Amino acid sequence: MNTQQYQSKVFELAVQEFSKLPGIGGKTALRLVLHLLREETPEVLKLGHAILELKEKIHYCKSCNNITENETCSICADPGRDQSTICIVENIRDVMAIERTQQFHGVYHVLGGIISPMDGIGPSDLKTGSLEKKLGDGKINELIFALSTTMEGDTTNFYLYRKFNKYGVRMTTLARGVSIGDELEYTDEITLAKSLLNRTVFEASS
Ligand SMILES: [Zn+2]
């Protein structure tokens, strides 16, 4: 990618910036920049404005690290949510996924990552400060570990369990097992084994 190829430094810079975005290669970046060039100016300004606002107005909730335009996010600020039940997740996308189920009425704590030596993420990179404070204040009844069912997720679960065990609160993890709609014969053995271990009492009504 050189200036001669594009004949314009400004154009080249735009392509370069777009290609830094996740999942966007050089070709897609070029297509997007050409698209924006063809667009009407107000439309392009709207996009630019939205990007600037994103950085200027969105903060991390001081209580749970979720995104918010205020000091605390709408979930933490909701008096209808159970503040003593905290669901620990890796990132904001996980908050959105659980919220979509409409089955959880507690609050969250976003770690901002999970322990992954391969990616250079260690225990000290996890954002646990505000959570520890709540635990220290004795305000928590249950911590739900809702992390990925990967080795990194398991390592993080174990680390958090050891770190928070002294507070004597109930600590749970999501049930792991056969997904709804899965054919048993195609389920891998680890999932199947976990499903057997986590079996529940059969209820005819469910
Ligand atoms: Zn919050």
Side-chain angles (χ1 to χ4, degrees):
M1 206 181 285
N2 56 43
T3 318
Q4 266 175 342
Q5 187 189 346
Y6 289 128
Q7 325 252 319
S8 156
K9 252 292 191 223
V10 173
F11 190 93
E12 184 192 342
L13 192 69
V15 175
Q16 246 176 36
E17 290 306 312
F18 270 97
S19 61
K20 286 180 192 168
L21 297 173
I24 309 283
K27 272 188 186 171
T28 310
L30 180 60
R31 197 155 54 89
L32 291 172
V33 171
L34 286 171
H35 170 78
L36 290 176
L37 263 185
R38 281 194 301 270
E39 280 280 317
E40 297 292 334
T41 304
E43 279 305 304
V44 181
L45 287 180
K46 253 197 252 173
L47 174 65
H49 187 63
I51 293 171
L52 286 179
E53 287 231 304
L54 195 67
K55 286 311 285 181
E56 278 170 9
K57 295 201 173 155
I58 293 189
H59 320 282
Y60 293 100
C61 172
K62 66 172 183 172
S63 176
C64 76
N65 305 321
N66 189 10
I67 50 168
T68 174
E69 289 179 31
N70 305 307
E71 274 216 345
T72 46
C73 73
S74 54
I75 297 173
C76 288
D78 182 347
R81 311 278 304 218
D82 171 13
Q83 304 283 335
S84 70
T85 303
I86 299 190
C87 182
I88 302 176
V89 294
E90 179 183 348
N91 58 44
I92 291 149
R93 276 178 297 167
D94 300 330
V95 173
M96 293 172 180
I98 296 173
E99 281 300 284
R100 276 199 299 273
T101 70
Q102 298 186 339
Q103 299 297 312
F104 179 63
H105 307 292
V107 293
Y108 296 90
H109 185 83
V110 181
L111 292 173
I114 50 176
I115 297 169
S116 172
M118 293 277 281
D119 301 312
I121 304 172
S124 60
D125 295 309
L126 306 181
K127 293 190 228 164
T128 55
S130 57
L131 179 58
E132 270 197 281
K133 184 166 184 323
K134 286 182 200 174
L135 285 161
D137 292 345
K139 292 175 181 167
I140 309 303
N141 288 326
E142 180 177 0
L143 294 178
I144 304 168
F145 300 146
L147 303 178
S148 307
T149 56
T150 56
M151 206 163 72
E152 290 80 8
D154 284 343
T155 306
T156 310
N157 282 342
F158 186 62
Y159 166 75
L160 294 175
Y161 174 79
R162 296 241 313 225
K163 189 177 171 75
F164 298 144
N165 201 21
K166 63 182 174 199
Y167 296 107
V169 298
R170 182 175 144 89
M171 288 187 271
T172 56
T173 60
L174 297 183
R176 296 175 187 188
V178 181
S179 303
I180 291 169
D182 271 5
E183 299 261 4
L184 214 62
E185 62 176 306
Y186 300 122
T187 305
D188 70 89
E189 57 264 45
I190 298 173
T191 306
L192 202 49
K194 285 268 184 191
S195 307
L196 264 175
L197 282 172
N198 298 336
R199 65 190 182 276
T200 55
V201 175
F202 182 77
E203 286 176 56
S205 59
S206 62

